[in-house]
Amino acid sequence: MKTPLVPAPEHFTSRLRSPHVAARVGLWLGICFGICFLTGLISHYAQNPTQPVPFPASPSWGYRVTQGLHVTTGTAAIPLLLVKLWSVLPKFFERPPLRDARRLLLHGLERASIGVLVAAGIFMLTTGLMNASQWYPWGFSFRATHYAVAWIAIGSLVVHIAVKLPIIRDVLAGDVDETRHDRPTAVNEGAVSRRGLLRTTWLASGIAVVASVGSTVPLLRDVSVFGVRSGDGPAGIPINKSAVSAKVTASATSASYRLEIAYGDRSVSLTRDDLLALPQHSEILPIACVEGWSASGSWTGVRMRDLLDLVEAPAGDVRVESLQESGPFRITTLQDNFARDDRTLLALTLNGETLAIDHGFPCRLIAPNRPGVLQTKWVTRLEVFA
């Protein structure tokens, strides 16, 4: 029998490609997409320099949990999306009703919404996985693009659910082996039962999560073979950007280093020894990054509010500058609620060791519940805007 160039739905005869399977996999895929969307919004908002409602400093582990959930559910969604696409593959080859203009229009709109959903879903999961691996072969802004496509993905998902809701409700209420909604040509048994296929799908998602979640859950680091951030690094804390890549090695170790603190026409200049001579405080706080990895450390240094008091600065946001000469996070904004929090430090040591240069020597910002990219390293200037 000659294989057709373009398959038709009747060429797919497996009973496994059923709405009963697609709806059950789609339910969990939708849950994963929903969690990814909400936790992604949290991360995007936390990185905004201006926030109408201040991002909270408590709980200190909040961002760690939301980013861990974001990457974990995104990872679990990959096997789910593959099985979902496989189960509905015959639908992609349905012939359009060319002789009925109204049906043709509705058919075209439905196909277009599904096409957008599939493209957006694949884009989000693929780029998210590459981001977690810190591999950026593209030239666009990951954060801005990921945020924009997330709205497209979740919007097309809502449209898809609304269109398919009657059949989704019907098949989810029935037994998975029912055939009422099957295609007439789907008559052949598959290599496994439908329940077997679903169990295999859940197992694949579970394995994908366990294999990567060690970057977030320390207890699972020994079994997470893809947990690329497993606690390696100076003082047991991983690093994303080294001093060499930031080109700050010479300036960070120079005897001429000074920390400038400014408010209006008042300013002070401090050496690292000056900072060490100020009252020291210790806090156990996590570093949590958008790639999903996180790790807790015991940070010791000077409270930010004590430093701001040196220039008699009132409440206000703080502009934090790094020794880096370039980079999107060379200058960050520390909102007032973080600056006045007792747990926010300009850290000088980590886990009892002098701060390693890759962790931000001579000093770095560490604040509770703040994205890792905003925990500025190699700090050289603080300026208060009241």
Side-chain angles (χ1 to χ4, degrees):
M1 181 178 177
K2 187 177 180 180
T3 303
L5 292 176
V6 179
E10 56 268 26
H11 295 142
F12 300 90
T13 59
S14 172
R15 290 186 63 247
L16 295 178
R17 299 183 195 269
S18 159
H20 291 270
V21 172
R24 284 164 173 79
V25 176
L27 173 64
W28 285 103
L29 183 60
I31 291 173
C32 287
F33 270 31
I35 294 175
C36 276
F37 180 69
L38 293 175
T39 51
L41 290 185
I42 291 172
S43 180
H44 190 83
Y45 189 81
Q47 295 182 52
N48 281 345
T50 57
Q51 299 167 344
V53 178
F55 194 74
S58 294
S60 62
W61 42 262
Y63 189 77
R64 181 182 201 179
V65 170
T66 60
Q67 276 310 102
L69 271 176
H70 185 77
V71 175
T72 298
T73 50
T75 301
I78 293 174
L80 295 173
L81 179 62
L82 293 175
V83 175
K84 170 74 171 176
L85 292 177
W86 180 86
S87 66
V88 299
L89 188 60
K91 301 287 290 183
F92 293 107
F93 300 104
E94 286 184 346
R95 304 293 190 271
L98 299 176
R99 297 181 180 179
D100 187 325
R102 181 176 177 277
R103 288 184 57 210
L104 179 61
L105 175 62
L106 294 175
H107 179 88
L109 291 174
E110 183 199 17
R111 296 296 96 178
S113 68
I114 291 176
V116 171
L117 174 57
V118 171
I122 292 175
F123 176 86
M124 293 300 288
L125 295 182
T126 303
T127 55
L129 183 63
M130 295 166 76
N131 177 63
S133 304
Q134 293 190 302
W135 180 33
Y136 307 102
W138 51 74
F140 54 79
S141 166
F142 171 78
R143 180 193 168 206
T145 309
H146 209 65
Y147 177 73
V149 178
W151 283 100
I152 296 174
I154 206 69
S156 55
L157 176 61
V158 171
V159 171
H160 179 66
I161 292 174
V163 171
K164 296 292 185 182
L165 188 57
I167 191 173
I168 291 173
R169 294 174 59 183
D170 199 28
V171 297
L172 289 181
D175 188 85
V176 70
D177 285 321
E178 286 184 359
T179 59
R180 284 183 297 123
H181 293 285
D182 286 4
R183 289 171 293 106
T185 57
V187 294
N188 292 331
E189 297 293 335
V192 296
S193 66
R194 289 181 180 177
R195 285 185 170 79
L197 174 61
L198 291 175
R199 292 190 191 103
T200 303
T201 303
W202 312 147
L203 179 62
S205 289
I207 290 174
V209 168
V210 171
S212 59
V213 77
S215 295
T216 301
V217 183
L219 290 176
L220 294 176
R221 281 177 179 165
D222 289 340
V223 297
S224 286
V225 293
F226 296 124
V228 293
R229 295 288 174 170
S230 57
D232 294 334
I237 304 291
I239 60 167
N240 271 4
K241 190 169 190 175
S242 68
V244 171
S245 63
K247 300 179 181 178
V248 299
T249 303
S251 56
T253 56
S254 170
S256 64
Y257 167 81
R258 296 291 185 277
L259 171 70
E260 302 290 337
I261 308 172
Y263 169 63
D265 58 358
R266 291 193 287 272
S267 66
V268 296
S269 179
L270 303 172
T271 65
R272 191 171 191 278
D273 286 341
D274 291 333
L275 291 170
L276 286 167
L278 293 171
Q280 303 291 297
H281 299 273
S282 295
E283 297 288 343
I284 297 176
L285 294 172
I287 285 279
C289 289
V290 294
E291 296 89 358
W293 70 265
S294 61
S296 284
S298 177
W299 308 85
T300 299
V302 186
R303 281 177 176 160
M304 179 62 70
R305 66 179 178 84
D306 291 342
L307 292 170
L308 303 184
D309 286 345
L310 295 177
V311 292
E312 300 177 359
D317 293 348
V318 180
R319 175 187 170 107
V320 183
E321 294 186 27
S322 170
L323 288 170
Q324 298 176 81
E325 295 179 358
S326 62
F329 299 102
R330 186 181 72 82
I331 298 175
T332 61
T333 299
L334 182 70
Q335 286 77 12
D336 174 66
N337 61 317
F338 285 97
R340 293 294 168 181
D341 193 293
D342 282 349
R343 297 165 295 177
T344 299
L345 306 176
L346 206 62
L348 303 170
T349 71
L350 170 59
N351 291 335
E353 302 175 9
T354 298
L355 199 65
I357 191 167
D358 285 339
H359 277 315
F361 179 91
C363 60
R364 73 169 298 168
L365 174 68
I366 183 73
N369 198 32
R370 190 165 162 85
V373 292
L374 301 183
Q375 307 280 32
T376 309
K377 298 194 285 189
W378 313 292
V379 176
T380 187
R381 181 177 171 82
L382 305 171
E383 185 173 2
V384 180
F385 297 93

